[in-house]
Amino acid sequence: MKKLTLLFIFLYACLSVSAQPYLSEAELSPETVADVHLGKLMELSALIYDKGDYGGAMEAGSPFIEWYESVDTHLKSEVFLPHYLYLFMSEAAVRSGDLARGLEYLEKSIANGCDKYSSILDLFMIEDFRKYPGFEELVGPLRDANGDYIGMLRHDHDYRIEETERPGSFRYSAAGYYPLEQTREYFHLDTLISGKDELSGIIAVMDWVHDNIPHNGSAFYPGEPTATGIYHFSKATGTGVNCRMLATALNECYLSLGLFSRVVTCMPADEDDSDCHVINAVWSNQLGKWLWRDPTYAAYVTDGEGNLLGIGEVRQRLIDGEPVEVRETANWNRRDSITSEFYLYNYMAKNLYVIECWMDNSYNTESYIRDGYPEYIQLRPHGTETQYRRGSYQTSDPQYFWQAPR
């Protein structure tokens, strides 16, 4: 769930000059301080999100912060996203059981430029911290300043059935396509769903991906984005992957079983907010509609009476004030329980403003090495069109966007 900007932190840190945390006065410069800061961010990210070593993160981060805060302000002028240092330390402290220090670090994060409510939603997941005295007073103004996410959906809710030229039908590779056959056989997916009806099988495959590939929103996956590649990378390195890679892996597993599936990027109204979330839509022949599936949290959504919902239905019900509930057992890496309040009414309400899919849904659709790019299409509220990738499309027609597979 961490912002995509952490990818740039990773890339920049890899290119930066390695430096020790404590530099002599002669070595201090805006550039060297920035390099050390980035290196520490990567160390803390690995300890917190890959290893779950919160005590180790506190031991590594606390003396560094003491040093960092002693450095003259002008020497910190080149530091990129300074608030992340305190944000990471806040999470490490809270998960170590030190809620008071976690609140102290969160306050410093906000003071150092953390101005997006979405940045602190990971902390919002931790119930004890959310109820801790002072938390609501601290984050309330940040939430209010970022706006009412459901209110934004209601204000710009207008979709229109368009008669304009369209890029054609969405396309899905058949289960007999050789790379997908290999995926199905390698993961023994036929065995996984054996004896299950369609809906139970769909859930079983999502749960398998969730249980076998952990999530780390700040991780950079360097390989070709395929289900087997993502799986092997995670097992070999002990590193999780971001939500896009998890959705890509689940998409290929579904397609390999003959299910129609899409990778769905859910984005906010604020184009400066790089925090989005990527999930899946899978077609149910049994119900005759698309269903919401999220491998990051092993989540699906119902109407509160057990009826499964699709992405478009959830968005509309949020606008109409009708109940939506996330799966009771939804969780993050089997550590944190996910509530409807956090997941649907905050995080996904923010990220259901713009919805994006590929036109072609196949194996290795977003290849890094193949020439050209896949075609993307965005479903946007009418009148919010924007500059977009060449060769891709925008529409405000939900009937076209959520068309049944052909």
Side-chain angles (χ1 to χ4, degrees):
M1 191 192 328
K2 292 298 178 192
K3 287 180 176 289
L4 294 178
T5 43
L6 290 180
L7 169 58
F8 300 109
I9 289 176
F10 173 84
L11 295 174
Y12 184 80
C14 289
L15 296 173
S16 298
V17 178
S18 177
Q20 295 299 316
Y22 307 104
L23 301 172
S24 69
E25 192 168 334
E27 293 174 305
L28 286 177
S29 71
E31 292 76 19
T32 56
V33 171
D35 286 343
V36 173
H37 181 271
L38 285 168
K40 184 59 66 173
L41 285 183
M42 294 311 302
E43 180 185 358
L44 293 175
S45 175
L47 287 168
I48 296 168
Y49 301 109
D50 288 332
K51 299 179 181 178
D53 184 1
Y54 310 120
M58 292 296 292
E59 290 179 8
S62 296
F64 177 78
I65 283 182
E66 185 177 344
W67 171 82
Y68 178 75
E69 291 180 342
S70 73
V71 174
D72 288 344
T73 301
H74 80 278
L75 292 172
K76 295 185 278 195
S77 61
E78 299 297 320
V79 167
F80 183 54
L81 299 175
H83 65 275
Y84 267 112
L85 173 63
Y86 296 105
L87 197 61
F88 283 2
M89 289 299 290
S90 177
E91 184 152 357
V94 170
R95 294 188 182 281
S96 297
D98 192 342
L99 303 185
R101 183 174 289 188
L103 193 69
E104 176 188 335
Y105 283 138
L106 179 57
E107 185 174 11
K108 289 183 177 181
S109 179
I110 293 172
N112 279 270
C114 180
D115 59 357
K116 300 292 185 187
Y117 182 55
S118 57
S119 297
I120 66 164
L121 285 176
D122 279 1
L123 294 170
F124 194 87
M125 283 194 296
I126 306 171
E127 185 175 6
D128 288 346
F129 193 41
R130 192 168 68 244
K131 295 178 178 179
Y132 189 72
F135 179 84
E136 178 58 31
E137 291 82 353
L138 185 60
V139 306
L142 193 63
R143 180 179 56 241
D144 295 341
N146 280 254
D148 173 7
Y149 297 131
I150 296 178
M152 290 181 191
L153 294 180
R154 287 175 178 154
H155 182 267
D156 296 328
H157 73 280
D158 191 19
Y159 284 151
R160 299 201 179 173
I161 308 303
E162 300 175 327
E163 300 299 331
T164 54
E165 183 179 357
R166 296 164 177 166
S169 299
F170 290 82
R171 298 169 289 275
Y172 308 89
S173 287
Y177 180 42
Y178 181 71
L180 293 177
E181 279 189 343
Q182 293 293 101
T183 300
R184 181 176 66 252
E185 293 173 3
Y186 185 80
F187 292 133
H188 305 289
L189 296 177
D190 283 329
T191 302
L192 179 66
I193 66 170
S194 178
K196 295 180 173 64
D197 63 20
E198 180 197 57
L199 295 177
S200 297
I202 286 172
I203 294 172
V205 175
M206 176 183 68
D207 287 348
W208 183 90
V209 171
H210 173 79
D211 290 342
N212 283 276
I213 306 175
H215 173 253
N216 179 347
S218 65
F220 173 66
Y221 169 65
E224 283 289 272
T226 67
T228 51
I230 293 164
Y231 173 84
H232 284 305
F233 170 81
S234 180
K235 293 301 183 185
T237 64
T239 301
V241 296
N242 65 26
C243 57
R244 191 170 201 85
M245 295 301 102
L246 280 164
T248 297
L250 181 57
N251 193 58
E252 292 187 2
C253 289
Y254 280 152
L255 291 171
S256 78
L257 290 166
L259 296 164
F260 296 105
S261 176
R262 300 188 196 177
V263 170
V264 183
T265 304
C266 305
M267 294 178 282
D270 182 359
E271 294 184 359
D272 293 327
D273 183 356
S274 60
D275 176 75
C276 63
H277 191 48
V278 187
I279 61 177
N280 297 87
V282 60
W283 180 262
S284 167
N285 288 314
Q286 187 174 328
L287 298 179
K289 66 179 186 179
W290 293 102
L291 298 178
W292 177 305
R293 288 294 179 269
D294 184 349
T296 298
Y297 301 114
Y300 55 76
V301 184
T302 70
D303 63 357
E305 297 182 358
N307 298 306
L308 296 168
L309 300 174
I311 296 168
E313 291 176 298
V314 172
R315 187 182 188 277
Q316 191 60 49
R317 291 178 74 88
L318 287 171
I319 290 170
D320 295 340
E322 296 179 353
V324 287
E325 291 184 2
V326 72
R327 181 188 190 184
E328 187 175 358
T329 57
N331 67 90
W332 179 75
N333 285 348
R334 298 182 297 282
R335 298 182 204 171
D336 298 321
S337 296
I338 302 301
T339 65
S340 296
E341 179 187 8
F342 156 72
Y343 181 67
L344 295 172
Y345 292 95
N346 283 280
Y347 188 58
M348 293 310 299
K350 176 184 81 75
N351 285 322
L352 286 173
Y353 192 84
V354 176
I355 301 170
E356 179 183 88
C357 292
W358 308 325
M359 292 301 301
D360 285 286
N361 299 274
S362 186
Y363 174 84
N364 198 15
T365 300
E366 287 189 313
S367 171
Y368 299 136
I369 62 175
R370 186 172 55 240
D371 289 338
Y373 298 94
E375 290 182 325
Y376 299 85
I377 183 167
Q378 287 187 344
L379 177 63
R380 307 181 63 96
H382 183 74
T384 67
E385 293 77 11
T386 186
Q387 291 294 112
Y388 195 41
R389 301 181 182 94
R390 190 187 326 186
S392 294
Y393 309 93
Q394 299 175 75
T395 183
S396 60
D397 184 346
Q399 290 186 18
Y400 169 73
F401 190 84
W402 295 118
Q403 62 186 262
R406 300 178 184 176

